[in-house]
Amino acid sequence: MPDNEILEMNRSQPQAQHTGGGQGPHGVLNKRSLFDGAILRQATIDAFRKLDPRVQLKNPVMFVVLIGTVVTLIESVAHSSAFAWAVFVWLLLTVLFANFAEAMAEGRGKAQADTLRKTREHTDARRLDAGGAEHRVPAADLAVGDLVVCEAGDVIPSDGEITEGVASIDESAITGESAPVIREAGSDRSAVTGGTKVLSDRILVRISAEPGQTFLDRMINLVEGAKRQKTPNEVALTILLAALTIIFVPVVVVLQPFGIFAGASVSVIVLVALIVCLIPTTIGALLSAIGIAGMDRLVQRNVLAMSGRAVEAAGDVQTLLLDKTGTITMGNRMASTFYPVGGSSEQDLADAAQLASLADETPEGRSIVVLAKQEYGLRERELGPGHVFVPFSATTRMSGLDADGRQIRKGAADAVKRWVTEQGGSAPGELDQIVERVARAGSTPLVVSDGARVLGVVELKDVVKQGITERFEQLRSIGIRTVMITGDNPLTAAAIAQEAGVDDYLAEATPEAKLQLIKKEQEGGKLVAMTGDGTNDAPALAQADVGVAMNMGTTAAKEAGNMVDLDSNPTKLIDVVEIGKQLLITRGALTTFSIANDVAKYFAIIPALFVSTYPQLHKLNIMGLHSPQSAVLSAVIFNALVIIALIPLALRGVRFRPSSASAILRRNVLIYGLGGLIAPFIFIKLIDLILTAIGAF
């Protein structure tokens, strides 16, 4: 065994490769500039294509605006005037700006999808027939269940599970991370993705996806929004906006006969302008873009949502289930101290612990080897013929070594004590005290025995991540309850939970226990989010309202979850929740602004309708607008320009600050409610002054 401890510790962590951001120079899902020239050009073209009535019909508000635009066009041709044509142009621009907002959001996704398509390599596969003979076939001809051979330099032709072998895989085409990862048959990291490349060794892969249904294909569809469906809240808001539109249409229509009765001449152009300004065109124009942009923000974090519903559900999450290891703590429990018992020496304990760990490739096992070497000079161990390493088993909860007549075991305290009892021995009375003391300190006690004799305890320390306590405080402030999930004993779990500041914990967690916890929370009316990567996490991921599966996890986990984190970083779940809340806050803020800014338009247009017949209405012209025509046109121009002005906010989202629901509501009412009420008065007056200055009307 080499003496270089650093090299040794690096060798012990082949799986800890994908904890970074995945958005560096090698990333394929990198953040794009909001004003990317290619996207702007394509969005401009798409804005005209979306004038198709069949497309506009999906958005009731903008469909009404389109009809009004057609009516003004007809009226302008029949009774041509500069005012009529000006209103027509700005109504057309209103529809185009709405189309442009949606096209911008879609364009960002399509640009990401195009980048992904370039990473997809069409290659041949080395398929094995029933007799084991190898045949080269196009990857598109592979079916579920086919076995293919992949060696160093080969591109994996489709999604599958490794059935034999272990290999280093370059997944940069998917995740953007240049560091390779280890994939191995029979482990929770046996899933491989089509389009990734084998860097070393030889593996057999059983295909698990039909052509066109691979993970990369689904990524492309999801990123470009090809299968995006409106979320329940989005549908509800669309219905509300449609209802408001339906209400205002007859209100405006009856103004014509009312005007005739009063002896006033009411222009059709002005009526159309009034209805366009009355209905909530701002939020109607931006609603789709807000939803698409929410998914795009997730993509920028290297998280793929299977549907917009998952993003929206993340914003309503009230309970967050987080794995302790790798999420709350650093994840690499390292041996720190040897505690001998029953008259054993530290040297004896270190010697046995190291022997039992020689074949243990986990960070914990390697750290025991290194600690024994550093503290007691135990190195270059020679094992006699016939030795047998005993692998860890979830059933026995122990591992060890049988050699030279010795049966050395290390594992959980209760499991080793039971083993010792079966061998005819007994545990020293001081053992339980040391185990409890180590556990209360938040560390993990690992008991070591040699046959029927307990030698002592190895303390494994795990460190709580810096800043995680503050994150939990922020989540608590917005009403989210955090629950730590761990396989540790209750004492260790309690110590870590207290140090990290979580609200609750589930110790010695089994798949059944996780599932029951989620169901219990949901029965109380709460939405639950969790992460997972193994097949045993699949039931809980499927049950959770937001299930984020790790990309390096099993196919079962990825199929069960409704989101996939390409970086396989469990901490990302907190970011997912914040992005979901940002989506809901953005939608609510812009809806508030849209409804509030209609007030100024009423004061601009309604007096202009009947001021010639009822001069008293001039008192409602509180903005002092120059003329009825300039008042109407100023309101229509503002109604169009405000859509363009709010596109960056719709795409980027309202800034999320962790605080209570009442504080968020109060802040948004002040900014977007009061701001939406005051700003139009200022800008409509400013537009009126400009029109007057250029002598337009």
Side-chain angles (χ1 to χ4, degrees):
M1 184 172 297
D3 293 338
N4 189 320
E5 285 81 8
I6 297 177
L7 173 62
E8 193 162 306
M9 293 309 298
N10 286 338
R11 289 175 53 207
S12 72
Q13 302 178 57
Q15 304 294 347
Q17 301 287 351
H18 270 338
T19 57
Q23 298 181 44
H26 301 285
V28 295
L29 298 180
N30 292 322
K31 184 175 180 179
R32 288 179 175 268
S33 168
L34 191 63
F35 301 103
D36 185 290
I39 295 177
L40 286 172
R41 288 190 294 272
Q42 187 60 47
T44 302
I45 296 171
D46 289 344
F48 285 91
R49 290 175 177 168
K50 288 177 178 288
L51 288 174
D52 185 339
R54 293 169 296 181
V55 176
Q56 293 298 313
L57 193 58
K58 298 176 182 178
N59 188 334
V61 176
M62 298 316 299
F63 183 67
V64 169
V65 179
L66 180 63
I67 293 175
T69 304
V70 173
V71 171
T72 56
L73 174 61
I74 296 172
E75 192 69 15
S76 298
V77 172
H79 305 91
S80 183
S81 68
F83 171 71
W85 282 107
V87 172
F88 161 71
V89 169
W90 281 102
L91 289 183
L92 178 62
L93 287 174
T94 301
V95 180
L96 288 173
F97 290 163
N99 293 346
F100 180 78
E102 184 176 49
M104 276 287 290
E106 292 175 347
R108 289 159 67 83
K110 288 177 180 177
Q112 301 281 23
D114 289 341
T115 304
L116 286 171
R117 285 192 182 94
K118 292 176 183 177
T119 69
R120 181 168 54 187
E121 295 190 37
H122 296 283
T123 183
D124 288 341
R126 299 161 60 185
R127 184 171 63 188
L128 297 181
D129 60 20
E134 184 179 308
H135 303 277
R136 284 195 174 272
V137 298
D141 292 348
L142 293 175
V144 174
D146 283 348
L147 275 177
V148 297
V149 178
C150 295
E151 294 182 320
D154 289 346
V155 173
I156 296 175
S158 184
D159 296 355
E161 296 274 351
I162 299 177
T163 60
E164 181 182 313
V166 57
S168 176
I169 308 291
D170 175 9
E171 295 188 339
S172 59
I174 305 297
T175 66
E177 286 288 348
S178 57
V181 296
I182 302 299
R183 293 287 183 261
E184 183 177 7
S187 71
D188 278 349
R189 294 179 175 87
S190 61
V192 290
T193 306
T196 58
K197 183 175 289 187
V198 179
L199 298 180
S200 69
D201 303 291
R202 180 181 187 272
I203 53 176
L204 288 185
V205 177
R206 187 178 301 279
I207 301 302
S208 60
E210 296 286 354
Q213 298 296 319
T214 66
F215 183 64
L216 189 55
D217 290 317
R218 286 189 293 143
M219 281 175 65
I220 292 170
N221 286 332
L222 292 166
V223 168
E224 69 182 358
K227 296 184 179 179
R228 195 188 85 87
Q229 296 179 341
K230 289 186 176 181
T231 63
N233 282 351
E234 195 175 344
V235 170
L237 184 55
T238 300
I239 293 172
L240 173 62
L241 298 179
L244 289 175
T245 302
I246 292 171
I247 290 172
F248 283 126
V249 167
V251 169
V252 173
V253 169
V254 298
L255 289 178
Q256 181 71 282
F258 179 79
I260 295 173
F261 174 78
S265 175
V266 182
S267 166
V268 173
I269 297 290
V270 175
L271 288 176
V272 171
L274 176 61
I275 192 171
V276 169
C277 290
L278 281 175
I279 63 178
T281 50
T282 305
I283 185 60
L286 298 173
L287 183 59
S288 181
I290 293 170
I292 296 171
M295 295 185 70
D296 183 59
R297 283 193 292 276
L298 270 183
V299 168
Q300 292 170 12
R301 303 288 185 93
N302 268 14
V303 178
L304 292 178
M306 299 297 113
S307 69
R309 297 185 180 209
V311 185
E312 191 172 273
D316 288 325
V317 160
Q318 295 162 287
T319 302
L320 210 57
L321 306 187
L322 299 163
D323 279 332
K324 184 202 78 171
T325 305
T327 305
I328 296 174
T329 63
M330 296 301 292
N332 292 335
R333 297 178 299 178
M334 299 298 177
S336 61
T337 312
F338 294 114
Y339 296 102
V341 298
S344 300
S345 67
E346 289 188 21
Q347 179 81 24
D348 293 338
L349 174 57
D351 176 79
Q354 188 187 63
L355 286 173
S357 304
L358 290 178
D360 188 347
E361 293 296 331
T362 65
E364 295 90 341
R366 306 309 295 167
S367 70
I368 292 173
V369 174
V370 171
L371 182 63
K373 182 165 51 176
Q374 290 174 336
E375 297 293 328
Y376 302 101
L378 298 172
R379 62 184 76 242
E380 303 296 341
R381 308 302 299 268
E382 295 291 339
L383 298 175
H387 67 274
V388 177
F389 287 109
V390 179
F392 177 83
S393 164
T395 304
T396 63
R397 297 166 65 205
M398 296 186 303
S399 62
L401 170 71
D402 293 342
D404 301 326
R406 302 173 67 185
Q407 291 182 304
I408 303 173
R409 296 291 184 272
K410 63 180 176 71
D414 57 341
V416 175
K417 285 166 65 177
R418 185 166 53 250
W419 160 264
V420 168
T421 301
E422 291 172 355
Q423 303 304 309
S426 62
E430 60 189 304
L431 178 65
D432 289 339
Q433 297 175 1
I434 295 175
V435 167
E436 183 174 347
R437 185 173 73 242
V438 170
R440 285 191 182 280
S443 299
T444 300
L446 198 67
V447 178
V448 180
S449 70
D450 188 348
R453 181 187 175 198
V454 176
L455 300 178
V457 178
V458 180
E459 180 179 5
L460 300 176
K461 279 189 176 180
D462 199 356
V463 180
V464 172
K465 288 184 175 179
Q466 187 175 5
I468 198 73
T469 303
E470 289 74 15
R471 294 293 295 273
F472 290 149
E473 289 176 357
Q474 292 173 350
L475 291 172
R476 196 174 296 113
S477 70
I478 58 178
I480 295 179
R481 176 171 172 264
T482 53
V483 181
M484 182 183 77
I485 307 295
T486 178
D488 290 338
N489 62 68
L491 288 176
T492 301
I496 295 292
Q498 183 177 9
E499 183 180 354
V502 295
D503 298 307
D504 202 353
Y505 64 89
L506 177 65
E508 298 178 343
T510 62
E512 294 78 15
K514 292 179 186 179
L515 190 60
Q516 286 301 117
L517 176 60
I518 293 173
K519 288 181 177 179
K520 181 180 177 182
E521 293 290 322
Q522 290 173 332
E523 287 170 1
K526 297 178 180 178
L527 268 65
V528 181
M530 73 161 288
T531 61
D533 61 358
T535 301
N536 61 345
D537 290 323
L541 285 170
Q543 181 67 35
D545 300 284
V546 178
V548 182
M550 302 296 100
N551 185 47
M552 68 163 50
T554 62
T555 300
K558 288 190 281 188
E559 290 290 342
N562 49 24
M563 292 187 187
V564 177
D565 177 20
L566 301 180
D567 295 331
S568 297
N569 180 2
T571 312
K572 197 78 68 69
L573 180 59
I574 298 175
D575 295 330
V576 168
V577 170
E578 291 182 353
I579 290 172
K581 287 199 171 292
Q582 185 185 35
L583 169 66
L584 297 180
I585 291 170
T586 301
R587 187 185 295 154
L590 292 185
T591 300
T592 303
F593 183 88
S594 178
I595 294 174
N597 71 28
D598 285 345
V599 175
K601 302 171 198 173
Y602 305 159
F603 279 96
I605 297 180
I606 292 179
L609 277 171
F610 300 109
V611 69
S612 59
T613 305
Y614 300 103
Q616 299 89 337
L617 289 176
H618 186 71
K619 293 181 180 179
L620 293 179
N621 184 16
I622 60 178
M623 289 179 279
L625 302 178
H626 179 261
S627 68
Q629 287 184 325
S630 71
V632 171
L633 190 56
S634 296
V636 171
I637 292 174
F638 172 80
N639 194 60
L641 293 180
V642 74
I643 295 172
I644 284 292
L646 292 175
I647 287 177
L649 184 62
L651 297 182
R652 288 175 178 158
V654 174
R655 184 179 178 185
F656 173 74
R657 295 184 181 89
S659 56
S660 64
S662 59
I664 292 173
L665 177 62
R666 185 166 54 250
R667 183 172 64 247
N668 285 347
V669 167
L670 285 174
I671 297 174
Y672 299 99
L674 187 60
L677 190 64
I678 296 173
F681 282 94
I682 298 172
F683 287 102
I684 288 176
K685 176 60 178 177
L686 182 61
I687 294 170
D688 177 74
L689 291 174
I690 294 172
L691 292 176
T692 304
I694 63 177
F697 302 100

PDB file of all heavy atoms in Angstrom, residues 5 190 238 317 349 416-417 492 510 601 646-647 671:
ATOM      1  N   GLU A   5      -0.522   9.550   1.759  1.00  0.00           N
ATOM      2  CA  GLU A   5      -1.887   9.557   2.274  1.00  0.00           C
ATOM      3  C   GLU A   5      -2.851  10.323   1.368  1.00  0.00           C
ATOM      4  O   GLU A   5      -4.018   9.968   1.223  1.00  0.00           O
ATOM      5  CB  GLU A   5      -1.933  10.171   3.684  1.00  0.00           C
ATOM      6  CG  GLU A   5      -1.407   9.255   4.777  1.00  0.00           C
ATOM      7  CD  GLU A   5       0.120   9.263   4.846  1.00  0.00           C
ATOM      8  OE1 GLU A   5       0.743  10.081   4.147  1.00  0.00           O
ATOM      9  OE2 GLU A   5       0.671   8.432   5.584  1.00  0.00           O
ATOM     10  N   SER A 190     -25.166   2.006 -11.248  1.00  0.00           N
ATOM     11  CA  SER A 190     -24.992   1.131 -12.406  1.00  0.00           C
ATOM     12  C   SER A 190     -25.648   1.689 -13.663  1.00  0.00           C
ATOM     13  O   SER A 190     -25.452   1.161 -14.748  1.00  0.00           O
ATOM     14  CB  SER A 190     -25.574  -0.259 -12.113  1.00  0.00           C
ATOM     15  OG  SER A 190     -26.965  -0.164 -11.845  1.00  0.00           O
ATOM     16  N   THR A 238     -55.499  31.501 -15.923  1.00  0.00           N
ATOM     17  CA  THR A 238     -55.982  31.716 -17.294  1.00  0.00           C
ATOM     18  C   THR A 238     -57.505  31.805 -17.316  1.00  0.00           C
ATOM     19  O   THR A 238     -58.081  32.654 -18.015  1.00  0.00           O
ATOM     20  CB  THR A 238     -55.509  30.574 -18.214  1.00  0.00           C
ATOM     21  OG1 THR A 238     -54.077  30.526 -18.215  1.00  0.00           O
ATOM     22  CG2 THR A 238     -56.001  30.780 -19.640  1.00  0.00           C
ATOM     23  N   VAL A 317     -44.074  23.716  -1.550  1.00  0.00           N
ATOM     24  CA  VAL A 317     -43.588  22.696  -0.615  1.00  0.00           C
ATOM     25  C   VAL A 317     -43.571  23.238   0.818  1.00  0.00           C
ATOM     26  O   VAL A 317     -43.171  24.378   1.063  1.00  0.00           O
ATOM     27  CB  VAL A 317     -42.175  22.225  -1.029  1.00  0.00           C
ATOM     28  CG1 VAL A 317     -41.459  21.559   0.129  1.00  0.00           C
ATOM     29  CG2 VAL A 317     -42.273  21.266  -2.202  1.00  0.00           C
ATOM     30  N   LEU A 349      -6.357  -2.432  18.774  1.00  0.00           N
ATOM     31  CA  LEU A 349      -7.586  -1.977  18.112  1.00  0.00           C
ATOM     32  C   LEU A 349      -7.283  -1.447  16.711  1.00  0.00           C
ATOM     33  O   LEU A 349      -7.969  -1.793  15.743  1.00  0.00           O
ATOM     34  CB  LEU A 349      -8.256  -0.884  18.956  1.00  0.00           C
ATOM     35  CG  LEU A 349      -9.483  -0.195  18.340  1.00  0.00           C
ATOM     36  CD1 LEU A 349     -10.570  -1.203  17.993  1.00  0.00           C
ATOM     37  CD2 LEU A 349     -10.035   0.870  19.304  1.00  0.00           C
ATOM     38  N   VAL A 416     -22.355  -5.958  16.093  1.00  0.00           N
ATOM     39  CA  VAL A 416     -21.112  -6.588  16.556  1.00  0.00           C
ATOM     40  C   VAL A 416     -21.332  -7.271  17.907  1.00  0.00           C
ATOM     41  O   VAL A 416     -20.809  -8.376  18.151  1.00  0.00           O
ATOM     42  CB  VAL A 416     -19.978  -5.550  16.634  1.00  0.00           C
ATOM     43  CG1 VAL A 416     -18.720  -6.175  17.236  1.00  0.00           C
ATOM     44  CG2 VAL A 416     -19.673  -4.990  15.250  1.00  0.00           C
ATOM     45  N   LYS A 417     -22.099  -6.664  18.777  1.00  0.00           N
ATOM     46  CA  LYS A 417     -22.389  -7.282  20.083  1.00  0.00           C
ATOM     47  C   LYS A 417     -23.128  -8.602  19.887  1.00  0.00           C
ATOM     48  O   LYS A 417     -22.847  -9.594  20.572  1.00  0.00           O
ATOM     49  CB  LYS A 417     -23.217  -6.329  20.942  1.00  0.00           C
ATOM     50  CG  LYS A 417     -22.416  -5.165  21.525  1.00  0.00           C
ATOM     51  CD  LYS A 417     -23.301  -4.071  22.088  1.00  0.00           C
ATOM     52  CE  LYS A 417     -24.097  -4.566  23.275  1.00  0.00           C
ATOM     53  NZ  LYS A 417     -24.908  -3.458  23.853  1.00  0.00           N
ATOM     54  N   THR A 492     -26.879   9.682  17.397  1.00  0.00           N
ATOM     55  CA  THR A 492     -26.073  10.401  16.412  1.00  0.00           C
ATOM     56  C   THR A 492     -26.949  11.347  15.603  1.00  0.00           C
ATOM     57  O   THR A 492     -26.584  12.504  15.354  1.00  0.00           O
ATOM     58  CB  THR A 492     -25.373   9.410  15.463  1.00  0.00           C
ATOM     59  OG1 THR A 492     -24.553   8.529  16.230  1.00  0.00           O
ATOM     60  CG2 THR A 492     -24.516  10.136  14.446  1.00  0.00           C
ATOM     61  N   THR A 510     -35.411   3.443   6.844  1.00  0.00           N
ATOM     62  CA  THR A 510     -35.562   2.389   5.842  1.00  0.00           C
ATOM     63  C   THR A 510     -36.463   2.929   4.734  1.00  0.00           C
ATOM     64  O   THR A 510     -37.141   3.950   4.912  1.00  0.00           O
ATOM     65  CB  THR A 510     -36.222   1.140   6.450  1.00  0.00           C
ATOM     66  OG1 THR A 510     -37.541   1.500   6.914  1.00  0.00           O
ATOM     67  CG2 THR A 510     -35.401   0.612   7.622  1.00  0.00           C
ATOM     68  N   LYS A 601     -55.583  53.722 -16.859  1.00  0.00           N
ATOM     69  CA  LYS A 601     -56.153  53.670 -18.211  1.00  0.00           C
ATOM     70  C   LYS A 601     -57.633  54.059 -18.191  1.00  0.00           C
ATOM     71  O   LYS A 601     -58.138  54.683 -19.134  1.00  0.00           O
ATOM     72  CB  LYS A 601     -55.984  52.273 -18.799  1.00  0.00           C
ATOM     73  CG  LYS A 601     -54.527  51.800 -18.882  1.00  0.00           C
ATOM     74  CD  LYS A 601     -54.468  50.327 -19.276  1.00  0.00           C
ATOM     75  CE  LYS A 601     -53.131  49.707 -18.964  1.00  0.00           C
ATOM     76  NZ  LYS A 601     -53.117  48.247 -19.184  1.00  0.00           N
ATOM     77  N   LEU A 646     -41.569  44.665 -19.133  1.00  0.00           N
ATOM     78  CA  LEU A 646     -41.637  43.632 -18.094  1.00  0.00           C
ATOM     79  C   LEU A 646     -41.109  42.274 -18.552  1.00  0.00           C
ATOM     80  O   LEU A 646     -41.040  41.342 -17.748  1.00  0.00           O
ATOM     81  CB  LEU A 646     -43.079  43.475 -17.599  1.00  0.00           C
ATOM     82  CG  LEU A 646     -43.645  44.660 -16.806  1.00  0.00           C
ATOM     83  CD1 LEU A 646     -45.108  44.437 -16.471  1.00  0.00           C
ATOM     84  CD2 LEU A 646     -42.843  44.888 -15.534  1.00  0.00           C
ATOM     85  N   ILE A 647     -40.753  42.136 -19.827  1.00  0.00           N
ATOM     86  CA  ILE A 647     -40.229  40.846 -20.301  1.00  0.00           C
ATOM     87  C   ILE A 647     -38.992  40.406 -19.517  1.00  0.00           C
ATOM     88  O   ILE A 647     -38.905  39.244 -19.091  1.00  0.00           O
ATOM     89  CB  ILE A 647     -39.945  40.894 -21.817  1.00  0.00           C
ATOM     90  CG1 ILE A 647     -41.258  40.873 -22.600  1.00  0.00           C
ATOM     91  CG2 ILE A 647     -39.074  39.710 -22.254  1.00  0.00           C
ATOM     92  CD1 ILE A 647     -41.095  40.996 -24.105  1.00  0.00           C
ATOM     93  N   ILE A 671     -44.744  47.194  -3.821  1.00  0.00           N
ATOM     94  CA  ILE A 671     -43.936  47.426  -5.020  1.00  0.00           C
ATOM     95  C   ILE A 671     -44.764  47.308  -6.290  1.00  0.00           C
ATOM     96  O   ILE A 671     -44.783  48.217  -7.136  1.00  0.00           O
ATOM     97  CB  ILE A 671     -42.752  46.442  -5.073  1.00  0.00           C
ATOM     98  CG1 ILE A 671     -41.803  46.679  -3.881  1.00  0.00           C
ATOM     99  CG2 ILE A 671     -41.985  46.592  -6.397  1.00  0.00           C
ATOM    100  CD1 ILE A 671     -40.688  45.668  -3.778  1.00  0.00           C
TER     101      ILE A 671
END
